[in-house]
Amino acid sequence: MGAQHADLIDQLLSITAGSRLDQIRRHREIARDNVQKAYDALFSPQDAGAVSLLERFAIAGFVAGLHGQLGLTDHYIHRLTLLEGGPALAVIVGSETERGAVQGPYGDYPAGPLSPENKPGLHYAAAPDSRQFLGAKLSAAFEHAHLLVFRPRDASRQALQTLLDAGWSNDGIVTLSQLVAYLAFQVRLVEGLTALAASASQTTTEATFSQALAAGANS
Amino acid sequence: MTTTISHPDNVPPVAFTQAELGWIPWLDPLTEADLTDRHWAGLVDASRSKSPYFMLLARDPEVLEARTKADKDIFYNPNGGLPRAERELSATATSRHNGCIFCASVHSRFASTHSKRRDDVQRLLDDGLGADLGERWNSVKHAAVALTDTPARFGETEIAQLRANGLDDFEVADVISTSAFFNWANRLMLSLGEPTPAQ
């Protein structure tokens, strides 16, 4: 420990030391470091007792896939396939991702003035065959993850009771919730930074800046 | 068998507001007697042991610690980037779009405090994401909403609009991280408990 840990987002976006994106990220260096630490805490946990690594990577692959974030989906599915039982599970994750992929956010508000903004949409349940393969606990996690990804305002106490009834503990539910919510953050950070990186070549901000400097030096 | 905590006497707010709401959990938070050094480190500020939300999240202390430190840097770091008011605007627009009445109440209040534009902030809450907040705020709002859509549809158009309103790379990056961060926060607040009315 104490060695420099690789940064997943830098790897995914091929961000090199000193590059424009590296400078942008290091402008909020504490955030940058802790985004990675949260990833480490979720996927190399000190204590995986409440949620197994197999469960963590399967859920992460499903959630990244539902967001259509290809780089992160590949990453989590790859990590899943390295685990015992992972390759077979990855097949189910793939088919359930296809079944569950819709567009959000949607869902209902508490009855009242916001009710006209209610928006219907899929209430996902794992396919019967998948459910049999995943078992009650992981099936319930997938269904809860889908709820959090696409219709977070539909979340309810009953949804947590469903998790408890399926064998989740209080500690496990907190970790599961953090995992799905973190992924919702991570996919957007990757999407946003990818777009920002792409915008460089179009606006050539740095080149324009250098030209302006050069012009200034010449005048 | 563990069960959830019901709050039969609570009447959760049904509209967006800048008022100071409370929040109560559906699962048992830890108690101070449960806390080890690992948990205290996870809470970051000892005063957070008074918050049922943070004491519930302390069930996974390493994730909570990293989340809290990222949160503080994204929103409070005064070194350049987006003015604080607009970071809070981004959080508010994100929360409005996902439908987190509690998160929107906290961050709309901060947006108002830092911008002195309480009426504009209130129109965002009342009228929704179509509210006209002026060009620069509209560009931040649109970008936050585009990134909050699932799948996200944030790209060239949003960045061009932000740049047209004078945002540089560091400011655009702050729009991205504040909106992304509230996609994390909204999902925890909405799914682990419920808001309570202002006192």
Side-chain angles (χ1 to χ4, degrees), chain A residues 20 27-28 30-31 34 46 67 103-104 117 148-149 153 156-157 161 170-171 175 178 185 188 199, chain B residues 4-5 26-27 59-60 62 66 73 79-80 87 96-97 147-148 150-151 163 169 174 180 183-184 187:
Chain A
R20 169 168 162 259
H27 191 234
R28 299 277 180 259
I30 296 171
N34 281 283
Q46 284 188 23
H67 283 90
Q103 293 189 335
E117 292 188 38
L148 292 185
V149 168
R153 60 181 177 255
S156 64
R157 185 174 65 83
Q161 190 61 53
N170 283 347
D171 287 0
T175 295
Q178 284 280 23
F185 162 80
R188 287 174 174 83
S199 76
Chain B
T4 51
I5 310 166
W26 290 326
L27 296 174
R59 288 179 175 278
D60 193 329
E62 286 77 29
D73 199 39
N79 176 24
R87 298 186 211 184
R96 181 69 176 80
H97 194 38
L147 196 61
T148 298
T150 310
R163 289 222 166 109
D169 275 353
D174 279 351
N183 276 283
W184 186 350
R187 284 172 173 82

Side-chain angles (χ1 to χ4, degrees), chain B residues 29-62:
Chain B
L30 298 181
T31 64
E32 285 205 15
D34 300 322
L35 301 183
T36 64
D37 289 349
R38 196 181 148 213
H39 297 108
W40 285 112
L43 288 167
V44 181
D45 300 329
S47 63
R48 293 195 169 192
S49 69
K50 306 301 173 201
S51 154
Y53 175 64
F54 292 118
M55 288 293 268
L56 176 55
L57 294 182
R59 288 179 175 278
D60 193 329
E62 286 77 29

Side-chain angles (χ1 to χ4, degrees), chain A residues 20 23-24 27-31 34-35 37-38 41-42 46-47 56 66-68 102-105 109-114 117 144 148-150 152-153 155-157 160-161 164-165 170-171 173-175 177-178 181-182 184-185 188-189 191-193 195-196 199 202-203 205, chain B residues 1-6 13-16 26-28 38 56-57 59-60 62-67 69-70 73-74 77 79-82 87 96-99 101 147-152 154-156 159 163 169-170 172-174 176-177 180-181 183-184 187-188 190-192:
Chain A
R20 169 168 162 259
Q23 289 173 33
I24 291 171
H27 191 234
R28 299 277 180 259
E29 189 143 29
I30 296 171
N34 281 283
V35 167
K37 280 182 181 162
L42 287 164
Q46 284 188 23
D47 174 5
R56 289 170 197 245
L66 291 176
H67 283 90
V102 288
Q103 293 189 335
Y109 286 95
L114 292 168
E117 292 188 38
H144 194 70
L148 292 185
V149 168
F150 289 110
R153 60 181 177 255
S156 64
R157 185 174 65 83
L160 296 190
Q161 190 61 53
L164 290 170
D165 294 344
N170 283 347
D171 287 0
I173 291 174
V174 168
T175 295
S177 305
Q178 284 280 23
Y182 174 78
F185 162 80
R188 287 174 174 83
L189 193 57
E191 290 286 332
L193 291 176
L196 191 54
S199 76
Q202 287 153 16
T203 60
T205 314
Chain B
M1 173 62 84
T2 314
T3 58
T4 51
I5 310 166
S6 66
V14 297
F16 289 99
W26 290 326
L27 296 174
D28 281 325
R38 196 181 148 213
L56 176 55
L57 294 182
R59 288 179 175 278
D60 193 329
E62 286 77 29
V63 177
L64 175 59
E65 180 178 358
R67 181 196 172 281
K69 289 178 175 173
D73 199 39
I74 290 168
N77 187 330
N79 176 24
L82 205 60
R87 298 186 211 184
R96 181 69 176 80
H97 194 38
N98 278 326
I101 290 174
L147 196 61
T148 298
D149 273 346
T150 310
F154 177 95
E156 212 177 305
I159 291 178
R163 289 222 166 109
D169 275 353
F170 293 124
V172 173
D174 279 351
I176 291 166
S177 49
F181 189 84
N183 276 283
W184 186 350
R187 284 172 173 82
L188 296 176
L190 280 166
S191 71
L192 295 173

